[in-house]
Amino acid sequence: MRKQPRQQRSRQLVDSLIEATGRALVEHGLDHTTTVRIAEIAGVSVGSLYQYFEGKEALVEALMDKLAGDIAQGLRRLPLADSAGLRETVDGAIRFGFAVLHSRDGLYLELVRNWHRLPTNRVADVLQQHFMELSRLYFIKHYRDYPIEDLQVRVFIVANSVLFTMVRHASQNDALLREDDIAAGLTDMVVGYMTH
Amino acid sequence: MRKQPRQQRSRQLVDSLIEATGRALVEHGLDHTTTVRIAEIAGVSVGSLYQYFEGKEALVEALMDKLAGDIAQGLRRLPLADSAGLRETVDGAIRFGFAVLHSRDGLYLELVRNWHRLPTNRVADVLQQHFMELSRLYFIKHYRDYPIEDLQVRVFIVANSVLFTMVRHASQNDALLREDDIAAGLTDMVVGYMTH
DNA sequence: CTCTAATGCGAATATGTATTCGCATTCAAT
DNA sequence: ATTGAATGCGAATACATATTCGCATTAGAG
C-alpha cells in the first residue's frame, strides 16, 4: 500500500475500494477490471485510489488477503478426519468447496480461473497447508509408518484435481453432469487414492 | 478468416502469421500478445494481418485448430486399452500429456492456463471424445453391464484432474515434487478410480 | 508482354487504460 | 476559532493497442 490511511474516512475509502474490486471482478472479469472502473464502483476518484494503491494488482492482492482469511475460517469449521470417518471428511470438504465457488456471485471462480496471473500463493498456501495438516494427522493416527514424502505428492494431486475439476464444472453450464454426481465421484476418487 | 488467400504468397503469409502467433504466445504470454507484435514477429505489416484475420482472437483460433490436429494424431499413436493393460494405457497417456506440455517451448502450457478465455472447446472435445471412446471400449469389453452415464462423470473428472494437476505442476518450478512421482501418483489415482 | 485483381504496406486515427498533479476540502489537535 | 496536515478530486497527460485506408507493388491469367 502506497500510503497508510490515518483518518477514519480514508480507512473506509480503502475498504470500499477493496470491496469494489471484488464487484468489478465479478461484473467485468479480471481482464476488463480497470482502476477507473474500480474507483467508479466505489464512488471514489481515481486520484484517491492511487493515494493508497499502486494499481489494480495491489487492489486484487488486498482483496485476496481478505478472502484468504474467510477461507481459513471456513476450513476450521469443517469436521476433522479423526472424529468422523475419512469419507465423511472428504465429502464435507468437497461440498464446502462447491459452496465457496458459488458464493459471492462467482468471485472465487473468477479468481481461481486466473490463478496463473494472480498472487495466488497466499490462498493456495492456506489450502495446501490445511489439507496437508489434515492428512498428516489422519495418517499418523491410522498408518503410523506412512511415508511422509509420498503424502506431499498425494496432497498436491488431490488438492489440484478436486479444485480444478470443480472450477471446470462450475464454469460451464453443462446440465448433463450434475454437481452432486461430480462431488460424489470426486469423493470416491480421493478416498480410494488416499487409502490404497 | 476475413478474406481467402488466393495466391501463393498470401497463403504463406497466413501460415507465417499463425506460426508467429504461437511464438508471441510463448514469448509474451496471452496478455501481451498483440496484433502488432504478431505482425512484427512474422515480418509482415499489420495491415496485411487484418486482410486475413479479424484480430488476435481469430489468429489464436486458427493456431488452436492446427494444434488440435497434432494432438489428435499423437493420441492415435498411443497404445489402446484392450491390447495393453489399463494401467499401462493410463501411464502412457499421462506421459504423453507431460511431453506435450513441455513441447513447443511451453505453448500448450500457456494455452491450457488460459482455457477460460480461449475457444478451447474444439481442443477439449478432441481430448474428451478420445478418452470417452477409449474408456467406453474398455468397459464394454470388461464390464459389459457398466452404467454409461456414470462413465461420463468419471471421464470428466479424470480428464480434468489429470490435465490441471499436470499444468499446475509444470507451471511451478517446485523441485520438491518430481514429475515422475506426480505421474505415478496420477496413474494410481486414475486406475483406482476407474476400476472400483 | 500486358493488364487487372490481388496483395502488401505502414502512417494515421481511434480508443482504452494508467497515472499524475495542482487545487479544494476536511479533519482534528491546539 | 485557527491552522497545518491529511484527504479527495478529476481534468490532463502519457502510453499501449486496435484498426483503417489510400497508395505502391506484384502475381499470374490471357
Side-chain angles (χ1 to χ4, degrees):
Chain A
M1 194 171 298
R2 192 163 273 193
K3 180 170 150 191
Q4 284 305 317
R6 301 173 185 283
Q7 300 181 355
Q8 177 61 30
R9 53 178 174 162
S10 58
R11 260 176 260 124
Q12 186 170 336
L13 184 146
V14 165
D15 281 348
S16 73
L17 280 172
I18 294 175
E19 176 62 28
T21 304
R23 268 197 271 160
L25 285 173
V26 168
E27 285 176 31
H28 308 288
L30 179 61
D31 284 318
H32 303 104
T33 289
T34 67
T35 49
V36 176
R37 260 203 250 271
I38 292 173
E40 265 174 17
I41 292 177
V44 158
S45 149
V46 231
S48 304
L49 184 155
Y50 278 96
Q51 293 244 323
Y52 303 101
F53 295 97
E54 296 283 346
K56 180 167 86 174
E57 203 177 320
L59 278 157
V60 175
E61 192 165 336
L63 173 63
M64 293 184 74
D65 273 351
K66 226 179 172 184
L67 297 180
D70 297 350
I71 296 280
Q73 188 177 351
L75 286 176
R76 270 184 248 110
R77 290 161 176 266
L78 287 179
L80 293 178
D82 32 331
S83 57
L86 179 61
R87 171 168 290 271
E88 285 69 33
T89 305
V90 171
D91 188 62
I94 286 174
R95 286 183 196 292
F96 171 73
F98 268 121
V100 169
L101 287 184
H102 290 137
S103 69
R104 303 209 47 170
D105 296 315
L107 173 58
Y108 288 98
L109 211 49
E110 179 67 10
L111 291 173
V112 178
R113 278 198 212 104
N114 293 283
W115 59 271
H116 61 286
R117 44 189 185 143
L118 289 176
T120 316
N121 292 333
R122 221 152 316 181
V123 183
D125 283 353
V126 170
L127 287 172
Q128 195 89 351
Q129 275 195 290
H130 179 86
F131 288 125
M132 198 62 212
E133 189 59 16
L134 205 75
S135 354
R136 212 176 55 76
L137 287 175
Y138 182 80
F139 282 104
I140 282 177
K141 192 160 197 170
H142 291 261
Y143 311 84
R144 213 164 283 269
D145 50 352
Y146 210 89
I148 292 292
E149 327 84 71
D150 186 42
L151 193 57
Q152 284 195 328
V153 171
R154 293 191 186 223
V155 169
F156 180 85
I157 290 175
V158 164
N160 284 294
S161 294
V162 170
L163 179 59
F164 283 94
T165 299
M166 291 192 306
V167 168
R168 287 274 296 162
H169 183 265
S171 294
Q172 62 178 113
N173 269 10
D174 195 344
L176 290 180
L177 306 178
R178 296 189 314 126
E179 180 174 305
D180 283 346
D181 293 338
I182 300 290
L186 282 170
T187 303
D188 287 344
M189 183 175 78
V190 169
V191 170
Y193 176 48
M194 291 306 269
T195 54
H196 289 303
Chain B
M1 196 170 294
R2 192 162 272 193
K3 181 172 150 191
Q4 285 305 317
R6 301 172 184 285
Q7 301 182 354
Q8 177 62 30
R9 54 176 175 164
S10 57
R11 258 175 259 126
Q12 185 170 336
L13 183 146
V14 165
D15 282 348
S16 73
L17 280 172
I18 294 174
E19 176 63 28
T21 303
R23 267 197 272 159
L25 285 173
V26 167
E27 285 176 33
H28 308 288
L30 180 60
D31 284 319
H32 302 105
T33 290
T34 68
T35 49
V36 176
R37 261 202 249 272
I38 292 173
E40 263 174 16
I41 292 177
V44 158
S45 150
V46 230
S48 303
L49 184 155
Y50 279 97
Q51 294 243 322
Y52 303 102
F53 295 96
E54 296 284 346
K56 180 168 85 174
E57 202 176 322
L59 278 157
V60 175
E61 193 166 336
L63 173 64
M64 292 185 74
D65 273 351
K66 225 179 172 182
L67 297 180
D70 297 351
I71 296 279
Q73 189 177 349
L75 285 175
R76 272 185 246 109
R77 292 160 177 265
L78 288 178
L80 293 177
D82 33 330
S83 57
L86 179 60
R87 170 168 291 272
E88 285 69 35
T89 305
V90 171
D91 188 62
I94 285 173
R95 286 182 196 293
F96 172 72
F98 268 121
V100 169
L101 287 184
H102 289 137
S103 69
R104 303 207 47 168
D105 295 315
L107 173 58
Y108 288 98
L109 212 50
E110 179 67 11
L111 290 173
V112 179
R113 278 199 213 105
N114 293 283
W115 59 272
H116 61 286
R117 47 189 186 143
L118 288 177
T120 317
N121 292 332
R122 222 150 316 180
V123 183
D125 283 353
V126 170
L127 287 171
Q128 195 90 349
Q129 274 193 292
H130 179 86
F131 288 125
M132 197 63 213
E133 188 60 16
L134 205 75
S135 355
R136 210 175 56 76
L137 288 175
Y138 181 81
F139 282 105
I140 281 176
K141 193 161 197 170
H142 291 260
Y143 310 85
R144 212 166 285 268
D145 50 353
Y146 209 89
I148 292 291
E149 327 85 72
D150 187 42
L151 193 57
Q152 285 195 327
V153 171
R154 292 192 187 221
V155 170
F156 179 85
I157 290 176
V158 165
N160 284 294
S161 294
V162 170
L163 179 59
F164 283 95
T165 299
M166 290 192 307
V167 167
R168 287 274 296 161
H169 183 264
S171 293
Q172 62 178 116
N173 269 12
D174 195 343
L176 291 180
L177 305 178
R178 296 188 316 125
E179 181 173 306
D180 283 346
D181 293 337
I182 300 290
L186 283 171
T187 302
D188 287 345
M189 182 175 77
V190 170
V191 170
Y193 176 49
M194 291 307 268
T195 54
H196 288 306

